[in-house]
Amino acid sequence: MRAPRCFRISALLLLLSSGHMVAACTSMAEGYPVLASVLIPPALPTSTSAPDSEISPPAPGEIRITGVGNGSMPWTIIVLLTFLTLIPSLLLCMTPFARLLVVFHFLRQALGLQTTPTNQTLIGLALVLTFFLMQPVGVDIYQVSVVPLQSGRITAFQAVERGEKPLQRFMLHFVREKDVALFVELSKQPRPRTPEDLPMRVVVPAYILSELKTGFQIGTVLFLPFLAIDMIVASISTSVGMLQLPPVVISTPLKLLLFVMVDGWNLLIGSLMRSFY
């Protein structure tokens, strides 16, 4: 029992002496700079952020976003990444992509072809034509929102608000009044004075309905001549007693021959593109 008590007393004395030794070394090192550099560890560097007035202006062509609503940069990154995930939905809902794709699928069904052209080919063609049609709108959006954002004159939210205007004008040009009235009634909003006063939550769904209706109208008109060929071939094959031979086997080559002879792709794409001007 005696040895442990002596050990505790000696350990306590050692701690006290070490504390006094550190204090003595620190006070002695204050008078000797060389000794101070050895005994006293250097202070850790602290990061100081420069004030907003000392931040250099952005270089030409550089996009510098200070934060959403003058907030932190992580929130700005989250907003931008969320916007990137919405791009496919925006492409379907706010561009002529839906109308073009519906018409192309109607054409494939009218020709009696199941996989030619493939879905990838039709989607690629619709994307290229959509880019061609939306290029002037993209230029307007770039001038009114991206350029001020690059120069730091507006925030990200203000850029989005400015970018909505050219897109809204494009959609209002092709939207039907009946569809707009439907969504104004469903949203329980007062009747706007001008079409520009409509919010995007009314314009976007109304534009989708108008594009789908227009696409089905064009597809139905496109379907009629090929349907007539099917009916003529079916009636002739039945009248001559060719019951074992399906009429589709005969009508499909005839429809393809007619479509190629009249240069159907040129007529179809030309009519679709002129419907937007």
Side-chain angles (χ1 to χ4, degrees), residues 126-181:
L127 282 174
V128 172
L129 297 178
T130 301
F131 176 77
F132 180 85
L133 292 170
M134 297 299 294
Q135 194 268 340
V137 181
V139 171
D140 293 341
I141 294 175
Y142 180 80
Q143 294 294 334
V144 300
S145 63
V146 178
V147 173
L149 183 62
Q150 286 180 340
S151 59
R153 298 196 302 268
I154 59 176
T155 62
F157 279 147
Q158 292 174 344
V160 172
E161 292 177 357
R162 292 189 180 187
E164 288 179 355
K165 298 302 180 181
L167 196 59
Q168 184 181 17
R169 288 195 298 267
F170 174 81
M171 291 188 292
L172 287 175
H173 186 69
F174 300 103
V175 75
R176 296 190 308 163
E177 184 178 354
K178 183 178 180 181
D179 296 329
V180 174

